[in-house]
Amino acid sequence: MSVRITLTGLRDLEAALENMSGKVRAELERAVSAEADAVVRDARGHVRRDSGDLAGSITAEVSGLAAEVRPRSSASDEDGRTLAIKANVNEFGRSRDPGQPYMVPAAEASRARWPGRARQAIERGVRG
Amino acid sequence: MPNVDVLWPIQVAIYSRLTGDGTLMGKITGVFDDVPASQPFPYVTIGASTSTPQGAHDRFGARTTTTLHVWSTYAGAFELLDIGDDLMRLFDHQPLTVDGHHTVYMHHQQTVTVPDPDDVRHLAVRFSIETEYTA
């Protein structure tokens, strides 16, 4: 004797899962963007200010689920090389100046904050 | 039981391990967190640290990142990177003995050769350390 089981509604279930997946992704993308903004705020808050140009150059580029936060010459009056030296000297110091890290503290704060933000985004996506 | 900050015990442990290593100390003129004027090169400095909470319901804990710096005037990268290699040997996956704390792990996180406007060669080596308060 064989038992035959027919499942109905799988296509609807598949569509619902696909829809949910899209919502989760959209929520996660919003969370990534919000987290990148928070890292920018933190880094600008930590960095030493003279003219304020280095602080102003710290920007985020967000693409889907990836974000990169760093000083950018496109957001500065300095050329790329000058800004890179200024950014590194401020972060890592020089032989007679211990510097004042601003990117590492911002990254470490993000490391601690991100799991909670991601969890909330996934929950929002699942609930729809 | 109140929590305590782990930064100073970690700095003491790092300093102790650095200055206790004969191979490293044979290559450098000293280990500092504040470099005396006219200190001859090469030397190592203990730089900035960042500590974030990493506890659990029943215990305090912290994740700390500390950056060690190598400074050299040697013409070329060899001296800088050779000393940097000693830092890796001494600290990467080599848990520290931190007074009052249990070290969960100590990992190398990043090494950066830093352009320096003073004609000094500069290497920044960052480690992450997770600790639990035990005292």
Side-chain angles (χ1 to χ4, degrees), chain B residues 3 53-62 130-133:
Chain B
N3 196 5
Q54 190 77 28
H57 290 296
D58 60 345
R59 58 190 180 276
F60 295 113
E130 185 172 322
T131 50
E132 292 175 351
Y133 180 42

Side-chain angles (χ1 to χ4, degrees), chain B residues 79-133:
Chain B
E79 184 174 76
L80 194 73
L81 299 181
D82 184 45
I83 295 168
D85 192 45
D86 283 319
L87 301 185
M88 295 289 283
R89 172 177 58 78
L90 287 170
F91 294 111
D92 188 26
H93 288 82
Q94 304 296 327
L96 279 179
T97 302
V98 182
D99 187 34
H101 302 262
H102 164 66
T103 302
V104 179
Y105 64 76
M106 181 163 192
H107 294 165
H108 172 246
Q109 200 175 27
Q110 188 181 42
T111 296
V112 183
T113 54
V114 187
D116 192 295
D118 300 329
D119 289 332
V120 174
R121 287 183 177 262
H122 177 192
L123 188 74
V125 188
R126 191 167 68 250
F127 295 94
S128 57
I129 309 133
E130 185 172 322
T131 50
E132 292 175 351
Y133 180 42

Side-chain angles (χ1 to χ4, degrees), chain A residues 65-77:
Chain A
L65 295 176
E68 186 182 69
V69 177
R70 62 178 173 84
R72 287 185 167 81
S73 58
S74 58
S76 163
D77 293 333

